[in-house]
């Protein structure tokens, strides 16, 4: 289908001579060469055409659909949030010792939200947590008046307890490990370097969410894609090399998601507009 692809994207297409073939049917740009060995080792798979019927092309609504798994009705909880809510029914007053999930650099995503709580510890940079006391400040959540004021006080104290407690354990894990590779200064690189240290440091959280954007390439797609996809490919390679140093690489599964794909044909601004399915 290369000829069809080339006709649809006359000025932003990848030249065949600049592609690395992963299979007889699919290739990646040569600037993503870090992933070639990951693919060759059998450590990477690609699922093409991932989407849902009648794709909603609004960024906000489609993001909520991916997070909630409900494409028709409005659902205000996320699938991870519902899972953790079932796992930790008394989360507010009796939280687990480590955060169920850690969310870095992406605030407001619905995916970790339950009916009453958000189950992700959101942090911009664990370095900032060094100023927080390791054990946190523990507030009394038992001797609370039975009234509306008491309900609000319970919530505020419990959230504070959870925040300070998790700041301490995250800080401890981060300081207990080092990165064994140089990640570079890309947006994704900075985030996964932090995640690798927390995993290697024994934090124990099972789920991490990081973000890389923006792939909303309505204009000048070629340059933006090269910068983003170079960061993606080199960081994934470095992340697993880093984890391999401590024998944890086979215990960590990574998955990329996006709210929608792009249309196959380019627009008048050397970019592509919102489309449906994507890899």
């Amino acid at each position: 289908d290369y000829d069809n692809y080339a006709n649809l994207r006359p000025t932003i297409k990848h030249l065949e001579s600049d592609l690395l073939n992963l299979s007889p049917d699919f290739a990646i740009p040569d600037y993503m060469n870090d992933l070639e060995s990951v693919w060759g080792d059998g450590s990477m798979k690609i699922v093409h055409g991932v989407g849902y019927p009648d794709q909603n092309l609004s960024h906000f609504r489609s993001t909520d659909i991916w997070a909630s798994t409900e494409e028709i009705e409005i659902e205000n909880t996320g699938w991870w949030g519902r899972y953790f809510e079932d796992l930790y029914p008394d989360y507010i007053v009796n939280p687990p010792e480590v955060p169920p999930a850690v969310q870095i650099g992406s605030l407001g995503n619905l995916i970790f939200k339950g009916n009453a709580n958000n189950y992700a510890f959101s942090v911009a940079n664990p370095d900032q947590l060094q100023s927080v006391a390791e054990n946190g400040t523990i507030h009394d959540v038992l001797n609370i008046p039975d009234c509306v004021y008491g309900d609000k006080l319970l919530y505020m104290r419990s959230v504070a307890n959870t925040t300070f407690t998790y700041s301490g354990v995250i800080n401890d894990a981060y300081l207990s490990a080092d990165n064994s590779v140089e990640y570079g200064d890309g947006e994704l690189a900075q985030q996964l370097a932090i995640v690798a240290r927390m995993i290697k440091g024994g934090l124990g959280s099972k789920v991490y969410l990081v973000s890389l954007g923006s792939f909303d390439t309505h204009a000048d797609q070629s340059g933006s894609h090269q910068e983003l996809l170079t960061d993606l490919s080199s960081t994934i390679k470095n992340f697993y090399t880093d984890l391999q140093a401590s024998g944890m690489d086979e215990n960590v599964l990574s998955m990329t998601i996006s709210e929608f794909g792009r249309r196959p044909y380019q627009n008048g601004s050397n970019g592509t507009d919102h489309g449906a399915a994507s890899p």
Side-chain angles (χ1 to χ4, degrees), residues 10-127:
T11 65
I12 65 171
K13 65 180 179 292
H14 294 286
L15 300 177
E16 283 188 279
S17 57
D18 295 332
L19 296 174
L20 300 172
N21 292 321
L22 300 183
S23 75
D25 298 312
F26 297 106
I28 55 176
D30 55 5
Y31 52 72
M32 296 182 72
N33 61 301
D34 282 316
L35 286 183
E36 187 177 26
S37 61
V38 181
W39 173 272
D41 292 339
S43 300
M44 181 179 83
K45 298 298 178 185
I46 301 172
V47 182
H48 292 277
V50 177
Y52 55 86
D54 301 319
Q55 170 75 52
N56 187 299
L57 299 180
S58 158
H59 288 289
F60 306 103
R61 176 65 187 134
S62 193
T63 297
D64 285 350
I65 288 171
W66 279 109
S68 68
T69 69
E70 175 53 65
E71 76 273 21
I72 298 175
E73 304 295 332
I74 301 296
E75 171 56 58
N76 293 317
T77 66
W79 64 276
W80 271 118
R82 296 191 296 270
Y83 170 78
F84 286 130
E85 196 161 52
D86 184 62
L87 198 62
Y88 306 112
D90 56 348
Y91 176 80
I92 274 290
V93 294
N94 186 30
E97 293 183 0
V98 299
V102 175
Q103 189 172 352
I104 300 180
S106 177
L107 302 179
N109 193 296
L110 187 67
I111 197 166
F112 295 117
K113 187 177 181 298
N115 286 295
N117 305 295
N118 190 306
Y119 292 87
F121 185 96
S122 298
V123 60
N125 188 329
D127 278 335

Side-chain angles (χ1 to χ4, degrees), residues 5 8-9 12 55-58 215-218 221 225 260-267 271-278:
Y5 158 79
L8 291 170
R9 299 187 175 187
I12 65 171
Q55 170 75 52
N56 187 299
L57 299 180
S58 158
F215 286 90
D216 195 24
T217 48
H218 291 281
Q221 176 170 297
H225 262 189
F260 42 65
R262 314 304 294 181
R263 297 179 188 182
Y265 49 86
Q266 71 178 69
N267 59 27
T272 54
D273 298 323
H274 297 180
S278 63

